């Protein structure tokens, strides 16, 4: 084991969340180390070569790699110490010590405050419990995207896409543009998982059919995938006998959702039951003093701008904490009411304004987000779970939360 290193702020993960955190901590004049397991920073942005990134954070429309480059260049100017090919295998949260595995060996870093920004991983094929053969030709959408956009390789010739999350929709268009035939996108839910703009721009514009309330019920192939069976499902997601349809495809792309990457690092950090990511306050602090989390390992955000904004907040508070300048003992719960699925933050402290992010649990034509304790309502129309709703409250408004002992968030459906 190599000797330990000391720093003020340590950031784990060099995606949008981690880079923004490192940059904002550096702007607070802290010594910052950022650790990234890959050989360069950027995270998922590196393979998202389409545009649509950065409209809020940079006030311009960028591709994923352009967004990542901007943050990287700023980090370099602000003297963030970026260490790539360094995998964090464990965080001792009480002693703020991380164990790092790198090509040069294993070593430890001790920090005064830590930001964990490890992103999300894709739900794998095994988790979907689809019967049939296990041939080659079955890929997650992110892996297929990596093949095509970073390695210049096509996954196959004819594809079917299971799941209508944004990555699957974007890959449907990408594969067609690269010369593959995309037979259809099938979605188990009665509504699409991805953003409306992606349904229009990635499927409708390319005549790719989307079958809602359908799923893959069998995979067939020796060596390589040859066929998949698709069936309609009832309201309990059970396949309806007699609705089976066979597609002759050599590629099945899975876009069945992202899961916050929270495994391995520590067992002491509390998770949110529904978000499945770290439970954090609006200062991005976890249940452990001086340990912060931001980005897709807290909840899967739809926009990189939200991830970067949260990273920024996490980095700033980590820097303040590293200088002994902040005490967050007082935390009030944010409680999920009806029709709310993803909800960030899980707690409120009064060191920071409140940025509330939520996803509704089903499509709602006319609805209202109600924050009863604050007498605040936000109306919306044509709400869908794929689109996050964001509400920002200043510190003055938040005082009422202290009086009421917490914040209850619910969504009501209007006629
Ligand atoms: C296909 C796709 C299309 C998208 N399109 C858009 C869009 O058009 N517009 C938009 O605004 N947003 C879009 N997004 C969303 C946005 O890009 C992401 O939400 C955001 O980039 C996630 O950032 P992150 O830092 O949370 O995670 P990531 O980018 O996943 O970064 C996490 C980083 O942590 C590293 N890491 C993980 N574990 C460890 C460890 N133990 N040790 C060291 N390093 C570790 C990883 O290697 C990775 O680099 C898209 C996302 C995807 C996947």
């Amino acid at each position: 084991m190599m000797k330990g290193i000391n720093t003020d702020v340590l950031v784990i993960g060099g995606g949008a969340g981690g880079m923004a955190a490192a940059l904002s901590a550096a702007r607070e004049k802290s010594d910052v180390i950022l650790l990234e397991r890959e050989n360069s920073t950027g995270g998922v942005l590196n393979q998202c070569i389409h545009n649509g990134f950065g409209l809020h954070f940079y006030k311009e429309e960028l591709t994923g790699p352009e967004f990542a480059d901007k943050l990287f260049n700023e980090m370099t100017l602000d003297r963030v110490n970026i260490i790539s090919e360094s995998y964090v295998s464990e965080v001792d949260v009480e002693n703020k010590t991380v164990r790092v595995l790198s090509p040069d060996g294993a070593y430890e870093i001790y920090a005064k405050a830590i930001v964990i920004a490890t992103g999300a991983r894709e739900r794998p094929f095994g988790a979907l419990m689809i019967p049939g053969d296990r041939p080659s030709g079955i890929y997650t959408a992110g892996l297929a995207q990596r093949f095509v956009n970073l390695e210049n390789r096509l996954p196959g010739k004819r594809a079917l896409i299971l799941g209508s999350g944004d990555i699957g929709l974007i890959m449907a268009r990408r594969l067609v543009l690269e010369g593959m035939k995309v037979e259809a996108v099938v979605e188990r839910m009665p509504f699409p998982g991805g953003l409306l703009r992606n349904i229009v721009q990635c499927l409708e514009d390319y005549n790719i059919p989307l079958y809602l309330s359908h799923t893959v019920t069998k995979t067939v192939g020796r060596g390589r995938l040859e066929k998949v069976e698709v069936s309609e499902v009832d309201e309990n997601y059970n396949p309806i006998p007699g609705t089976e349809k066979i597609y002759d495809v050599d590629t099945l792309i899975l876009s069945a959702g992202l899961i916050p990457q929270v495994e391995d690092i520590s067992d002491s950090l509390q998770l949110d039951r529904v978000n499945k990511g770290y439970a954090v306050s609006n200062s991005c602090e976890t249940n452990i003093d001086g340990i912060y989390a931001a980005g897709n390992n807290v909840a899967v955000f739809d926009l990189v701008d939200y991830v970067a904004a949260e990273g920024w907040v996490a980095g700033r508070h980590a820097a303040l904490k590293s200088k002994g300048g902040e005490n967050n003992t007082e935390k009030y719960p944010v409680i999920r009411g009806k029709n709310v699925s993803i909800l960030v933050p899980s707690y409120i402290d009064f060191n920071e304004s409140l940025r509330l992010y939520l996803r509704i649990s089903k499509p709602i034509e006319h609805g209202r987000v109600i924050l009863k304790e604050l007498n605040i309502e936000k109306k919306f129309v044509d709400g869908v779970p794929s689109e996050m709703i964001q509400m920002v409250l200043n510190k003055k408004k938040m005082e009422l939360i202290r009086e009421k002992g917490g914040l209850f968030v619910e969504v009501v459906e209007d006629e």
Side-chain angles (χ1 to χ4, degrees):
M1 174 93 68
M2 285 156 62
K3 260 180 64 191
I5 301 168
N6 287 292
T7 187
D8 292 338
V9 175
L10 175 73
V11 178
I12 305 170
M19 289 195 289
L23 183 58
S24 78
R27 296 254 169 104
E28 296 290 333
K29 308 271 177 271
S30 289
D31 283 336
V32 184
I33 293 179
L34 180 145
L35 295 172
E36 167 56 51
R37 66 182 170 191
E38 300 284 338
N39 58 13
S40 64
T41 53
V44 74
L45 288 170
N46 292 332
Q47 60 188 68
C48 295
I49 61 173
H50 57 283
N51 55 9
F53 294 83
L55 281 170
H56 303 273
F57 195 75
Y58 281 120
K59 310 272 181 275
E60 58 179 315
E61 194 173 19
L62 302 164
T63 64
E66 284 169 343
F67 190 99
D69 272 2
K70 265 183 172 274
L71 275 173
F72 177 82
N73 292 337
E74 288 185 84
M75 278 198 302
T76 315
L77 286 175
D78 277 278
R79 297 174 189 281
V80 172
N81 185 357
I82 302 163
I83 311 178
S84 49
E85 294 188 308
S86 293
Y87 174 74
V88 172
S89 59
E90 200 184 334
V91 181
D92 174 349
V93 291
E94 298 299 343
N95 295 310
K96 311 239 171 347
T97 306
V98 304
R99 309 227 152 76
V100 189
L101 306 176
S102 81
D104 299 326
Y107 62 98
E108 287 189 343
I109 301 184
Y110 166 78
K112 292 180 186 149
I114 296 175
V115 180
I116 307 176
T118 44
R121 64 185 171 82
E122 295 181 282
R123 186 165 282 123
F125 183 55
L128 305 181
M129 313 283 276
I130 297 170
D133 303 325
R134 292 291 179 268
S136 66
I138 302 174
Y139 308 93
T140 60
L143 182 61
Q145 188 180 47
R146 198 185 164 97
F147 276 171
V148 176
N149 291 353
L150 294 184
E151 297 174 17
N152 204 20
R153 290 195 280 162
L154 270 188
K157 291 188 175 127
R158 295 171 84 85
L160 184 113
I161 298 182
L162 171 58
S164 60
D166 286 310
I167 319 180
L169 301 178
I170 284 162
M171 280 317 290
R173 173 177 66 183
R174 188 88 196 110
L175 295 178
V176 168
L177 289 173
E178 292 298 331
M180 278 180 74
K181 169 90 180 130
V182 176
E183 294 287 349
V185 175
V186 297
E187 167 60 58
R188 194 174 76 114
M189 307 292 278
F191 50 86
L195 299 172
L196 186 63
R197 69 158 197 244
N198 284 333
I199 303 281
V200 174
Q201 293 171 10
C202 302
L203 300 189
E204 291 174 9
D205 287 358
Y206 292 83
N207 294 321
I208 302 168
L210 168 65
Y211 297 116
L212 299 174
S213 299
H214 281 71
T215 192
V216 170
T217 39
K218 201 172 180 186
T219 50
V220 181
R222 286 175 178 225
R224 177 80 196 196
L225 184 69
E226 291 159 26
K227 295 172 194 304
V228 299
E229 181 190 85
V230 171
S231 304
E232 200 176 332
V233 296
D234 63 21
E235 61 279 9
N236 298 317
Y237 310 115
N238 294 318
I240 303 171
T243 61
E244 301 84 0
K245 195 170 169 207
I246 301 292
Y247 287 87
D248 293 321
V249 290
D250 63 3
T251 307
L252 175 63
I253 305 282
L254 308 169
S255 178
L258 296 170
I259 308 163
Q261 180 80 51
V262 292
E263 295 85 2
D264 304 337
I265 280 191
S266 165
D267 294 333
S268 310
L269 296 171
Q270 246 169 38
L271 301 181
D272 179 278
R273 178 180 56 83
V274 177
N275 300 345
K276 301 200 173 6
Y278 296 119
V280 293
S281 71
N282 49 319
S283 300
C284 299
E285 195 172 36
T286 65
N287 57 308
I288 307 278
D289 189 49
I291 306 283
Y292 298 79
N296 281 355
N297 62 1
V298 168
V300 174
F301 287 85
D302 53 358
L303 294 182
V304 72
D305 305 81
Y306 294 159
V307 167
E310 291 307 294
W312 194 271
V313 169
R316 185 157 49 80
H317 285 280
L320 294 175
K321 180 75 75 170
S322 75
K323 293 174 191 152
E326 202 165 70
N327 181 6
N328 303 351
T329 44
E330 210 186 15
K331 279 185 184 150
Y332 292 83
V334 182
I335 297 160
R336 201 177 257 112
K338 68 173 184 284
N339 297 323
V340 178
S341 59
I342 301 295
L343 182 63
V344 178
S346 302
Y347 304 99
I348 290 171
D349 69 41
F350 293 90
N351 292 314
E352 180 59 57
S353 59
L354 173 59
R355 300 150 328 281
L356 195 73
Y357 302 90
L358 67 100
R359 287 184 196 272
I360 51 179
S361 50
K362 59 174 188 184
I364 294 178
E365 225 171 284
H366 294 275
R368 275 171 297 144
V369 182
I370 300 185
L371 312 178
K372 206 167 59 197
E373 289 82 1
L374 306 180
N375 297 319
I376 291 178
E377 290 191 5
K378 180 175 175 148
K379 283 190 178 174
F380 62 85
V381 285
D382 297 331
V384 281
S386 55
E387 236 154 287
M388 267 185 153
I389 298 174
Q390 192 205 31
M391 293 170 78
V392 182
L393 271 78
N394 62 33
K395 287 190 191 168
K396 206 164 150 218
K397 286 216 174 90
M398 285 165 59
E399 277 307 316
L400 271 172
I401 299 173
R402 203 195 300 261
E403 280 172 30
K404 305 280 164 100
L407 179 66
F408 186 72
V409 183
E410 69 173 337
V411 171
V412 294
E413 229 175 324
D414 292 326
E415 290 302 310

